[in-house]
Amino acid sequence: FTKLYDVNLSLSEFAFDEWVKADFGAKGETNQQKFAASGHAEFQLAKGFSKYALRNIKLESSFSDATTKMDTIKLSLDTFEFDAANSLSYEVKGKAADLSIDMTGAATLTVDEAISKVVLDKMSLDASFEGDALPQSPMKVSMASDLTFDLNKSHLSFVLESLTANALAFDGKADVTLAEIPKVRFALHSPNIDLDEFLGLGQAPQDKEQAPSSGSGDSKPAAPAEEVEPDLSALKTLDVRGDMTVDKFKANNAHLQNVKASFSVNRGIAELTSFSSNLYQGSITAKAKLDARKSPATYTVEKRIKGVKVQPLLKDVADNDMLEGTGNITVDLKGESLTPRGIQSNLVGTMVIDFADGAVNGINVAQLIRENYAKIKGEKFDDKEGVQKTDFSAMKATLKLNKGNVSTNDLTMHSPLLRIRGNGEANYIQQTVDFTVSTSIVGSLEGQGGKDIDELRDITIPINISGKWSEPKYKLVFDDVLKQKAEKEIDRGVEKLTDKIKDEKTKEAVNSLIKGLFN
């Protein structure tokens, strides 16, 4: 039901081939919606209605409903003639939900006489948006662009000369072909994108007043909210393909340069067909695919990282400098579900790491060996703490991810002092680790800031790492070490003894008897 009132139309004296002034207005209501419109125009009609022209066109309206209140919607045209450039300006002020809007703009409008092509040249926008839902408020937006719409072909061509939203800036172009599922193709460029600054990540939260307590001392903590799969049904109605380049990009405090990405969304399948970038003196390439045709969605990810300096990357992203070196990483993962818990619980795949010329900070394996070996022998140990760092020339591992668990059985690390092999597992849901590193001393401990221990050379020393990620515990399993050392001494003794025994059967019996003491 629509109600109209205060409807009016007035004309000055009318005559053919003369300019006639027209004023009009109306107000109305539809359910909870209220609207008003008024305007002014001058028009000229030729005899026989063979030709007409408009000028000084001004339209002004307002609109409101339960959530929206547009106080001002203005459109002005200095002239309107077919096949001619007509100056246009517009203004919008109001509030939509909790978003305040204030925008103005202008363009040059050209429409051909057949009304088959509409062109908006030098289209500009200057706007300010305010609201708590915005990543930044207020947000200043400006745009300069050209737009052409071919009505016969249902094709829109859009050239974006510049678009800024606070500190973000873009340029590019797009083509849209209207159909049951619109076909969108675009290319976008930005000189610099800092998502952390734009989204306010890493900033200290503003102090907010505490809600008053209920006063019940034995109240139970609120149950965690149930995780719900995101609604991706809108992806089924899209046919979008585009390229994007970013000269400098920052997200989660990671710094990337020369970012190039190509992606598409086609009837429920979103695909990152290619991605490349430079970061931390290395490079990264990737591709990914998300199938949202069914819920929960499934996805695959492939990533290749080459020659990246690991420590500055970890420092920026995780504020952790535990690992140094130049890293190569290969990632092949797949999963189901896009909820935080679902991602962790369903992720499977492999990660292959290959680091060179680095160090593990926070643990000095050589010092740990000297300290524990001195205790075993009952000797005094110089407990002056050295640099908590273990250098390596190469470190490699294949990590297998399986629904919350990460395991490896081929960790190797080489250094002038040590040869290390590792195996074990970690749970990234519970954030626990149970890992055993077998260390063999092949060089001099003096190179790690301590005295040499010749009697431990070529003996494998197991180090167990267990507990929470935040507070891992390191334990040397020296029972095995002493057993190996004793076996080596026995081997040398048996060799000397059996050299003097000429009978082969007697030699084998003595050898088996002595070695059996350690099995």
Side-chain angles (χ1 to χ4, degrees):
F1 174 72
T2 300
K3 177 183 177 183
L4 289 175
Y5 54 92
D6 293 345
V7 179
N8 66 83
L9 172 64
S10 63
L11 296 175
S12 64
E13 183 177 355
F14 176 80
F16 287 110
D17 298 318
E18 298 289 339
W19 286 103
V20 179
K21 295 181 179 179
D23 293 285
F24 54 89
K27 295 180 181 179
E29 296 180 9
T30 300
N31 297 326
Q32 292 184 330
Q33 299 175 348
K34 295 182 180 181
F35 57 89
S38 62
H40 169 84
E42 297 179 27
F43 65 91
Q44 186 182 68
L45 287 176
K47 289 182 180 181
F49 302 99
S50 60
K51 186 178 180 182
Y52 63 88
L54 295 168
R55 71 182 185 187
N56 297 330
I57 305 164
K58 298 183 184 298
L59 303 175
E60 185 170 350
S61 63
S62 62
F63 173 85
S64 66
D65 62 14
T67 59
T68 304
K69 189 175 186 297
M70 290 297 169
D71 299 314
T72 302
I73 304 174
K74 292 182 179 180
L75 177 65
S76 299
L77 272 166
D78 292 344
T79 61
F80 180 78
E81 295 182 41
F82 289 115
D83 295 317
N86 303 280
S87 296
L88 173 151
S89 63
Y90 62 91
E91 178 182 350
V92 178
K93 290 184 179 181
K95 197 167 186 178
D98 293 325
L99 182 66
S100 295
I101 301 171
D102 185 352
M103 64 171 66
T104 60
T108 299
L109 172 66
T110 304
V111 182
D112 67 342
E113 191 168 1
I115 314 181
S116 62
K117 183 176 290 187
V118 178
V119 178
L120 285 170
D121 284 331
K122 300 178 181 179
M123 188 164 59
S124 66
L125 167 70
D126 289 294
S128 176
F129 302 94
E130 293 187 36
D132 293 338
L134 295 173
Q136 292 183 354
S137 182
M139 184 176 295
K140 304 292 185 181
V141 177
S142 65
M143 181 183 68
S145 60
D146 298 321
L147 182 148
T148 302
F149 184 47
D150 189 323
L151 282 76
N152 292 334
K153 298 179 180 179
S154 298
H155 181 264
L156 183 147
S157 178
F158 184 75
V159 176
L160 182 64
E161 295 179 5
S162 68
L163 170 65
T164 62
N166 287 3
L168 298 184
F170 300 91
D171 58 80
K173 61 181 181 179
D175 288 277
V176 179
T177 302
L178 299 181
E180 183 179 353
I181 295 181
K183 181 179 179 181
V184 181
R185 300 294 181 263
F186 70 91
L188 202 59
H189 164 262
S190 176
N192 183 34
I193 295 179
D194 188 335
L195 278 186
D196 296 342
E197 178 186 0
F198 186 74
L199 299 177
L201 302 179
Q203 297 179 3
Q206 295 180 352
D207 293 334
K208 296 184 178 180
E209 294 184 3
Q210 295 287 336
S213 172
S214 63
S216 175
D218 58 351
S219 61
K220 296 181 180 180
E226 182 181 357
E227 294 183 348
V228 179
E229 295 290 339
D231 183 4
L232 303 177
S233 58
L235 297 181
K236 299 177 183 178
T237 65
L238 297 177
D239 180 5
V240 179
R241 184 180 302 162
D243 302 316
M244 185 167 184
T245 60
V246 183
D247 301 338
K248 294 182 180 180
F249 183 82
K250 178 170 170 277
N252 195 28
N253 209 38
H255 297 260
L256 290 77
Q257 305 84 35
N258 302 320
V259 177
K260 297 180 180 179
S262 298
F263 50 90
S264 66
V265 181
N266 191 356
R267 295 164 176 78
I269 297 179
E271 192 168 4
L272 178 65
T273 52
S274 68
F275 176 91
S276 64
S277 175
N278 301 120
L279 72 164
Y280 300 90
Q281 301 181 46
S283 65
I284 178 174
T285 59
K287 58 182 180 178
K289 184 177 182 179
L290 172 69
D291 190 339
R293 292 175 294 181
K294 295 181 180 180
S295 184
T298 59
Y299 58 89
T300 59
V301 178
E302 297 179 17
K303 186 183 299 183
R304 306 290 182 264
I305 298 175
K306 295 183 179 180
V308 170
K309 298 300 180 183
V310 177
Q311 188 179 44
L313 172 60
L314 290 178
K315 184 66 177 175
D316 283 348
V317 173
D319 195 23
N320 186 316
D321 61 356
M322 189 171 183
L323 187 62
E324 298 179 28
T326 301
N328 299 320
I329 304 174
T330 300
V331 178
D332 291 285
L333 302 173
K334 65 179 180 178
E336 181 180 87
S337 173
L338 295 178
T339 66
R341 173 67 66 167
I343 291 173
Q344 291 182 331
S345 301
N346 295 291
L347 192 64
V348 297
T350 59
M351 297 176 60
V352 180
I353 63 173
D354 184 352
F355 293 164
D357 300 324
V360 178
N361 295 314
I363 178 173
N364 187 325
V365 174
Q367 182 182 359
L368 197 60
I369 293 172
R370 289 196 304 270
E371 179 181 356
N372 282 269
Y373 194 63
K375 290 179 181 178
I376 292 292
K377 296 178 68 177
E379 297 178 352
K380 185 177 180 180
F381 174 72
D382 181 5
D383 59 358
K384 182 179 179 181
E385 189 172 288
V387 176
Q388 295 302 295
K389 181 176 181 178
T390 302
D391 297 321
F392 63 82
S393 57
M395 181 170 68
K396 300 179 180 180
T398 301
L399 306 177
K400 297 181 180 180
L401 286 76
N402 185 19
K403 300 182 177 181
N405 205 61
V406 183
S407 62
T408 183
N409 59 8
D410 65 353
L411 171 67
T412 59
M413 188 172 82
H414 294 175
S415 77
L417 168 68
L418 307 169
R419 295 291 183 270
I420 295 177
R421 299 186 310 277
N423 64 82
E425 61 184 29
N427 190 292
Y428 54 76
I429 296 177
Q430 301 175 0
Q431 296 191 352
T432 58
V433 61
D434 184 4
F435 203 83
T436 299
V437 180
S438 299
T439 307
S440 300
I441 301 173
V442 296
S444 170
L445 286 172
E446 293 177 353
Q448 295 286 309
K451 296 180 179 180
D452 199 359
I453 305 179
D454 288 333
E455 60 260 43
L456 289 183
R457 185 168 296 180
D458 298 327
I459 292 179
T460 300
I461 303 171
I463 303 175
N464 181 257
I465 307 168
S466 62
K468 291 287 186 181
W469 288 3
S470 56
E471 297 179 0
K473 297 179 181 179
Y474 300 94
K475 178 183 177 182
L476 271 74
V477 189
F478 256 97
D479 290 344
D480 290 344
V481 175
L482 295 177
K483 180 179 177 180
Q484 290 178 58
K485 185 175 184 300
E487 287 178 336
K488 287 183 181 291
E489 294 297 332
I490 291 298
D491 285 342
R492 284 193 284 268
V494 169
E495 185 177 347
K496 291 179 181 179
L497 177 62
T498 55
D499 281 345
K500 299 177 181 180
I501 300 175
K502 304 301 181 182
D503 182 68
E504 289 298 326
K505 291 185 178 180
T506 304
K507 185 184 297 185
E508 290 179 7
V510 172
N511 190 11
S512 298
L513 177 63
I514 294 177
K515 288 191 175 183
L517 297 174
F518 296 92
N519 295 329

